[in-house]
Amino acid sequence: FCPSYVVPVLSREHPTVVMHHGSYEVLPSAFAWWPRTKARLVYQSSCRRADAIITVSESSRRNIVRFYGVDEAKIRIVPPGVDDVFRPVDDPALLDRRRRSYFADGRPFVLFVGKMTARRHVPDLVDAFAQFVRDTRAPHGLVLVGPDTVGHGLPERFASLGITDRVHWKQFATHDELVEAYNAADVFIYPSDY
C-alpha cells in the first residue's frame, strides 16, 4: 500500500497507490519546470505500475486517466472523511478564548488554512483583506495558518499595507486549535486555482 503517490521502484508486489494530483498538469505555471517534470514522471509511472489506484474525487479520477493514461477501471474513489474531532462547537466562551488567542480584543476574523503555494493566491488574499478593511472599516482580523513554501514575504507585505496588527500568521496548528479556529471564524476563505 503506497499512500503518498509513489510506488517504490523495486516493488514486485501488486501495489495500491493513493493519488490526488493533477495540479501539476492542470496548472503548470504554478510549479517550476523540474519539480513539475519529476512529479509527472514519477506519478505517471506509479499509476501505471499499480494494480489499483485510490483517489478522492471524480475530478481526480478524470485527471489521472487524462494525464497519466491509466485505465479508469483500476481507479477507485474513496472520498475524504473526518472523524468526530472536526465538529460544530457551541461554546461561546471557548470560541471567544480562541479569538483572543489571535487578537487580544477578540475581534472577528477571516481564516485561511493551507500550504501557501503560488496557486493559492495568499498575497492576493492579503491585499484584498487590506482593501476590505480600508473600504468597510470592518473590525475583522485575518488569521493565516500554514507554511509559506514559496517565500511570499508576508510580514513585509503586512507592514507595507499597514495591517500588521490585523494579521495573525502561524505555520502550524494542532487539530484541536483548527477545530476551534474554524468554528470561531466569521469567514473561511480558500482562493485556490485548483
Side-chain angles (χ1 to χ4, degrees):
F1 178 65
C2 309
S4 296
Y5 316 134
V6 178
V7 172
V9 174
L10 299 177
S11 175
R12 298 195 191 287
E13 300 297 318
H14 301 283
T16 295
V17 66
V18 176
M19 184 67 55
H20 299 189
H21 276 282
S23 55
Y24 292 100
E25 293 81 10
V26 173
L27 293 171
S29 63
F31 304 94
W33 175 84
W34 176 240
R36 182 180 72 237
T37 301
K38 181 177 71 171
R40 181 181 175 111
L41 293 172
V42 171
Y43 297 165
Q44 183 176 43
S45 172
S46 292
C47 283
R48 288 183 175 175
R49 290 179 22 244
D51 285 353
I53 301 165
I54 297 172
T55 195
V56 296
S57 68
E58 183 58 40
S59 175
S60 290
R61 180 193 343 225
R62 283 192 305 269
N63 284 339
I64 291 167
V65 170
R66 176 178 166 203
F67 294 118
Y68 301 154
V70 175
D71 179 359
E72 74 176 69
K74 72 179 194 176
I75 303 173
R76 298 290 179 264
I77 297 172
V78 179
V82 295
D83 57 23
D84 59 358
V85 171
F86 286 90
R87 67 198 180 292
V89 174
D90 187 24
D91 182 342
L94 176 68
L95 300 179
D96 183 59
R97 280 193 304 275
R98 177 52 54 206
R99 281 188 289 277
R100 290 180 187 284
S101 76
Y102 300 139
F103 303 102
D105 61 3
R107 69 181 57 205
F109 65 91
V110 175
L111 176 66
F112 169 90
V113 177
K115 186 166 56 172
M116 297 179 188
T117 60
R119 72 178 183 272
R120 296 202 177 120
H121 303 282
V122 174
D124 296 332
L125 168 59
V126 171
D127 293 350
F129 174 77
Q131 183 173 345
F132 165 72
V133 295
R134 271 193 316 270
D135 292 352
T136 67
R137 302 193 192 292
H140 290 71
L142 175 64
V143 175
L144 304 171
V145 179
D148 180 3
T149 59
V150 294
H152 289 304
L154 294 174
E156 295 81 11
R157 188 176 217 103
F158 306 152
S160 72
L161 294 168
I163 58 169
T164 300
D165 63 331
R166 287 186 175 253
V167 181
H168 181 89
W169 174 35
K170 62 191 313 178
Q171 297 207 24
F172 175 80
T174 65
H175 282 135
D176 290 338
E177 180 180 346
L178 287 175
V179 169
E180 294 173 11
Y182 284 125
N183 278 275
D186 272 23
V187 175
F188 174 76
I189 188 163
Y190 194 73
S192 184
D193 285 329
Y194 181 77

